[in-house]
């Protein structure tokens, strides 16, 4: 199976990005995690994305906050799908700065952007991309969906028991 790369701009992103890493582990998808910054380590970020396809990756997840150029700059150097996670790394604008920096890509260089701090969905979207050609992974995704459905049904049953006359 192709690997998923999880790249974040700073170690300060880790508390949120650990949710993506855990999701990839739960889905039994091979992955690598790196801290590369579009601004502080641009050469390392460039080298990683330029060689990602030949190094066995199928999808890149890129998380950054503030002036969040990481996902776009990685996407500029690869034709692998890049999923951007805008990080709410400061109180300013609740992450809207990072959301707009990540999602507003020029035509020709796409970044599939999830919600602010949307680490779990980024990992699941990466799995869904790999599952297009992997039936076993598609089955694991379907099982996770069913488990999530059961959790909501159980919560609804509790809620109805407690609050409805
Ligand atoms: C971004 O700036 C990082 O991805 C992080 O979300 C934000 C703040 O980084 P630190 O100043 O905490 O290293 O590049």
């Amino acid at each position: 199976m192709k690997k998923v790369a999880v790249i974040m701009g700073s170690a300060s992103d880790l508390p949120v990005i650990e949710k993506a890493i855990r999701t990839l582990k739960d889905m039994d998808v091979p992955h690598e995690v790196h801290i590369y910054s579009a601004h502080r380590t641009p050469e390392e970020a460039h080298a990683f994305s330029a060689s990602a396809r030949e190094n066995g990756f199928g999808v890149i997840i890129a998380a950054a906050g503030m002036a969040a150029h990481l996902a776009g700059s990685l996407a500029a150097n690869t034709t692998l799908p890049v999923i951007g996670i805008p990080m709410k790394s400061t109180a300013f604008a609740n992450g809207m700065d990072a959301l707009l920096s990540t999602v507003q890509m020029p035509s020709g260089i796409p970044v599939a952007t999830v919600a602010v701090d949307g680490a779990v969905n980024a990992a699941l979207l990466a799995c869904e991309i790999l599952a297009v050609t992997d039936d076993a992974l598609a089955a694991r995704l379907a099982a996770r969906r069913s488990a999530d459905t059961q959790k909501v049904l159980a919560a609804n049953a509790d809620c109805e028991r407690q609050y409805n006359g």
Side-chain angles (χ1 to χ4, degrees):
M1 191 194 299
K2 298 278 188 193
K3 294 179 286 184
V4 175
V6 181
I7 314 294
M8 70 203 90
S10 169
S12 66
D13 298 320
L14 254 175
V16 171
I17 296 313
E18 275 172 351
K19 293 178 193 160
I21 299 165
R22 194 175 321 124
T23 301
L24 293 169
K25 276 189 187 148
D26 289 348
M27 299 309 299
D28 204 16
V29 166
H31 54 278
E32 279 185 23
V33 183
H34 300 279
I35 298 171
Y36 295 135
S37 164
H39 308 112
R40 294 166 174 154
T41 61
E43 287 169 19
E44 286 79 0
H46 179 174
F48 181 86
S49 60
S51 60
R53 186 183 292 276
E54 71 200 46
N55 286 332
F57 292 94
V59 187
I60 297 174
I61 294 172
M66 303 179 77
H69 299 135
L70 181 62
S73 62
L74 295 175
N77 293 302
T78 183
T79 54
L80 291 176
V82 174
I83 300 169
I85 308 175
M87 299 294 300
K88 187 170 61 183
S89 56
T90 69
F92 176 73
N94 278 326
M96 187 63 82
D97 49 351
L99 174 61
L100 295 179
S101 302
T102 306
V103 78
Q104 286 288 75
M105 287 298 295
S107 177
I109 312 292
V111 168
T113 305
V114 296
V116 172
D117 287 356
V120 172
N121 269 2
L124 290 174
L125 182 54
C127 292
E128 289 179 358
I129 291 167
L130 296 182
V132 168
T133 54
D134 186 327
D135 291 343
L137 179 55
R140 294 200 290 282
L141 283 166
R144 184 185 171 110
R145 284 273 176 104
S146 296
D148 286 349
T149 299
Q150 291 310 316
K151 279 183 215 159
V152 176
L153 290 174
N156 178 55
D158 284 348
C159 173
E160 289 176 352
R161 251 193 315 275
Q162 189 171 350
Y163 297 108
N164 295 352

